[in-house]
Amino acid sequence: GAGVSQTPSNKVTEKGKYVELRCDPISGHTALYWYRQSLGQGPEFLIYFQGTGAADDSGLPNDRFFAVRPEGSVSTLKIQRTERGDSAVYLCASSLLSGDGDTQYFGPGTRLTVL
Amino acid sequence: AQSVTQLDSHVSVSEGTPVLLRCNYSSSYSPSLFWYVQHPNKGLQLLLKYTSAATLVKGINGFEAEFKKSETSFHLTKPSAHMSDAAEYFCVVSDESNTGKLIFGQGTTLQVKP
C-alpha cells in the first residue's frame, strides 16, 4: 500500500517568504507527527495530531510555525516570515494509534532551503 | 527528561564482519526503544523496537538489539555486515507523555568497506 507522502520534495525560498509543506499520511492512521532534521542531527519533534486536533505542539520553535489537519488526514505545516535558520528537512510520520510503542511510518521529507 | 546518546558518530567495518552500534538512554520510566535506519535520500525505516516484552529484539535485515535496563543501553548488532547496510542509524526513545512522540539520538554513520 501507499506510504506517507510529502510534497514538495524540495522547496527553495527567500528569507521572509511564507511556505507550506504538505503531508499525506497512511490511510486510516489517526496520529500524525511533524519532525525537523537539521544537517548532521537527529530529527526533532515539532507537533503531534490526534485526529484533527493538535494534541502537542510543544516542539514548534516559535509562533512563525503553525500546522493544521482539518479533516483528520492530510496535514500542512506553515512557516511565516522564513529565516535562514529554518533550512532543514521536515519529516512527517503517521501511526495507526498514538500510544507508546506504536510504530511511526515516515515520509521521505521536504528539504527546505531559505536563501 | 528523556535523552538518547549514541556513543559513536561514525563506525567503519569491513564487509562480512560484525556490526555494533552503541546507544544509551536516560528515562525516568520504562520507555519503548527503537532503531531506525536512514539511507541517503530515503525516508526513515524502522529496524526494530522494544516495548517491554523480550529484552532481545530481532529486526529486519539480520539486525538485533538487546535492552539492558541495568546499563540503560540498547545496542544494535549484526553478525555480518553487508555493503547495503551503509547508512545513518538512529537510536530512539519514546517520550514519557505516552503520545508516541519520539526522541532521537544524534545518529551513527555506518560505513561498510569491501
Side-chain angles (χ1 to χ4, degrees):
Chain A
V4 178
S5 62
Q6 293 185 247
T7 54
S9 56
N10 279 283
K11 176 71 177 178
V12 180
T13 190
E14 294 179 342
K15 180 176 178 295
K17 299 289 189 182
Y18 168 83
V19 296
E20 289 190 351
L21 312 179
R22 176 188 167 108
C23 171
D24 276 273
I26 294 172
S27 177
H29 280 194
T30 63
L32 186 146
Y33 304 81
W34 283 98
Y35 295 85
R36 179 168 72 174
Q37 186 174 19
S38 300
L39 194 62
Q41 305 292 317
E44 293 180 312
F45 170 80
L46 293 176
I47 186 170
Y48 148 62
F49 288 89
Q50 178 57 45
T52 60
D56 182 351
D57 64 357
S58 62
L60 295 178
N62 51 60
D63 61 6
R64 295 186 298 105
F65 289 75
F66 188 72
V68 296
R69 194 186 185 199
E71 297 177 355
S73 179
V74 171
S75 176
T76 304
L77 179 64
K78 308 180 181 194
I79 311 175
Q80 299 177 319
R81 304 183 304 280
T82 51
E83 300 178 356
R84 292 193 181 89
D86 299 334
S87 296
V89 176
Y90 289 80
L91 298 169
C92 175
S94 70
S95 64
L96 188 59
L97 299 172
S98 61
D100 185 16
D102 287 322
T103 298
Q104 292 183 28
Y105 298 87
F106 283 80
T110 294
R111 182 176 300 277
L112 175 67
T113 303
V114 182
L115 301 177
Chain B
Q2 295 100 314
S3 65
V4 178
T5 302
Q6 292 184 243
L7 299 170
D8 305 291
S9 59
H10 188 273
V11 169
S12 181
V13 301
S14 296
E15 189 176 21
T17 64
V19 175
L20 170 63
L21 304 184
R22 299 181 295 163
C23 173
N24 286 104
Y25 70 94
S26 172
S27 179
S28 58
Y29 84 125
S30 295
S32 293
L33 293 157
F34 309 78
W35 277 97
Y36 276 84
V37 61
Q38 189 174 40
H39 290 274
N41 301 316
K42 294 204 174 167
L44 286 158
Q45 180 183 21
L46 180 69
L47 276 180
L48 50 81
K49 68 178 181 181
Y50 165 77
T51 55
S52 75
T55 57
L56 182 62
V57 182
K58 295 189 184 297
I60 62 172
N61 300 335
F63 284 95
E64 61 181 39
E66 186 172 7
F67 173 69
K68 291 186 176 181
K69 187 174 182 179
S70 61
E71 299 176 9
T72 60
S73 69
F74 191 56
H75 301 333
L76 181 71
T77 60
K78 182 173 180 176
S80 176
H82 191 272
M83 295 297 293
S84 62
D85 294 330
E88 188 81 11
Y89 290 79
F90 292 97
C91 183
V92 185
V93 65
S94 61
D95 183 78
E96 63 185 0
S97 62
N98 198 32
T99 59
K101 174 178 167 182
L102 300 177
I103 299 167
F104 284 75
Q106 297 282 75
T108 298
T109 303
L110 176 63
Q111 179 186 24
V112 182
K113 296 180 287 189

